[in-house]
Amino acid sequence: MPNLLILGGTTEATALANAAAERGLRGTVSFAGRVDRPRRQPLPQRIGGFGGVEGLEAYLQDRGITHVIDATHPFAVQMSANAVMACSKADVPLIALTRPYWKEQPGDRWMQVTDIAGAVSALDQPPRRILLAIGRLHLADFAPNPQHHYLLRLVDPPKTPPPFPDHHMLVSRGPFTKADDSALMQDHGIDLVVSKNAGGTGAYAKIAAARALSLPVLMIDRPAMPERAEVGSVAEVLAWLDHAGSDLGV
Ligand code: NAP
């Protein structure tokens, strides 16, 4: 009987957990604990880091995990790297459930940067009114540019006050629509959006709204992921579970 470990924190992970539960599969969904109230899952859940590669390897062995599905966010590079190494050491098959990255569409005004540091450098300019939609973990990185007005939209309030004198904070989980985000940007006089290239539909409204309002977007590219087997849908993960280890080069 398979015993899955789903590394979660995304809508894709929740969709996979639903599909696995419907099939009567055994498994656990793991969260880092970054949000105060993770979405309820149809499978048992655990919260908190494993303690690096060694901790994850020990967890896989102690719990008799038969398959790991990395459905973390495309910016969760540390967890994904740890999963590759721990699964290799513990000889447990691993697959990543990923989403395509967003591509610039006609009407978009993107400036692409390779990482958060690149975004911080690009903001070394006269004051703007910025929608900074990058999650609470990275707010402190933007402290070198306190001249801007920052509109912050966060799932939970930050643990420490944002390091900007001029900001407005909204605590809201979404999902948001293009109409919601267009109205928000207009109400706050936003003239620049800063976003990670998360991909998927859940966080796309602000990108579509920026296009509709002809606003520039500072788009942060995804970090490089370690080599691993990847699929793009829950159905493909289920198919992999049926044949794990044989047809996807794992
Ligand atoms: P990260 O930098 O890759 O991970 C840092 C450490 O957090 C990992 O080494 C691991 O600790 C722990 N961790 C991360 N994901 C975990 C999980 N699903 N279960 C148990 N431990 C986990 O990741 P992150 O960027 O902080 O993201 C954390 C979580 O938030 C991920 O699950 C991701 O799906 C979700 N998320 C991230 C973003 C983003 O922009 N980064 C956005 C939305 C959601 P140990 O080494 O102790 O095991």
Side-chain angles (χ1 to χ4, degrees):
M1 170 79 167
N3 182 18
L4 317 182
L5 174 64
I6 301 173
L7 301 172
T10 59
T11 48
E12 289 78 5
T14 301
L16 174 61
N18 278 316
E22 270 169 29
R23 278 197 168 198
L25 295 174
R26 197 153 63 101
T28 304
V29 182
S30 176
F31 292 100
R34 299 284 183 262
V35 299
D36 294 344
R37 285 165 292 110
R39 285 194 196 283
R40 266 187 83 81
Q41 301 293 312
L43 293 176
Q45 63 191 54
R46 65 167 299 286
I47 298 179
F50 296 96
V53 175
E54 289 71 25
L56 179 55
E57 184 189 359
Y59 180 94
L60 299 176
Q61 286 165 338
D62 294 348
R63 307 292 166 118
I65 300 294
T66 59
H67 302 78
V68 175
I69 301 99
D70 179 357
T72 54
H73 190 273
F75 280 74
V77 67
Q78 186 63 57
M79 185 70 253
S80 292
N82 290 356
V84 168
M85 283 189 279
C87 286
S88 162
K89 289 171 108 178
D91 201 20
V92 173
L94 164 75
I95 202 158
L97 173 55
T98 63
R99 25 169 137 145
Y101 55 86
W102 297 324
K103 296 197 178 98
E104 207 168 359
Q105 305 292 319
D108 279 334
R109 295 175 56 205
W110 289 9
M111 182 183 145
Q112 285 173 252
V113 289
T114 49
D115 51 20
I116 299 266
V120 173
S121 303
L123 292 181
D124 182 9
Q125 54 172 291
R128 311 278 300 251
R129 294 185 66 81
I130 299 175
L131 172 59
L132 186 61
I134 44 101
R136 66 178 169 177
L137 288 183
H138 290 289
L139 292 181
D141 295 336
F142 288 82
N145 294 304
Q147 71 276 28
H148 304 299
H149 172 81
Y150 291 100
L151 174 59
L152 309 172
R153 184 169 60 193
L154 303 166
V155 175
D156 297 299
K159 306 268 187 237
T160 52
F164 323 116
D166 185 8
H167 70 267
H168 181 86
M169 191 170 8
L170 297 170
V171 176
S172 182
R173 188 190 279 255
F176 308 102
T177 65
K178 179 177 144 190
D180 293 335
D181 279 2
S182 297
L184 180 74
M185 290 178 199
Q186 285 180 305
D187 289 349
H188 288 265
I190 294 302
D191 59 24
L192 177 66
V193 175
V194 178
S195 173
K196 294 172 176 168
N197 194 331
T201 53
Y204 192 68
K206 59 183 175 288
I207 307 303
R211 181 186 312 132
L213 298 173
S214 202
L215 293 179
V217 175
L218 188 56
M219 185 63 82
I220 304 167
D221 286 343
R222 293 181 179 186
M225 284 291 166
E227 202 172 314
R228 62 205 178 152
E230 291 187 6
V231 291
S233 69
V234 167
E236 287 168 286
V237 175
L238 296 177
W240 174 77
L241 288 172
D242 289 338
H243 312 285
S246 57
D247 60 348
L248 282 162
V250 188

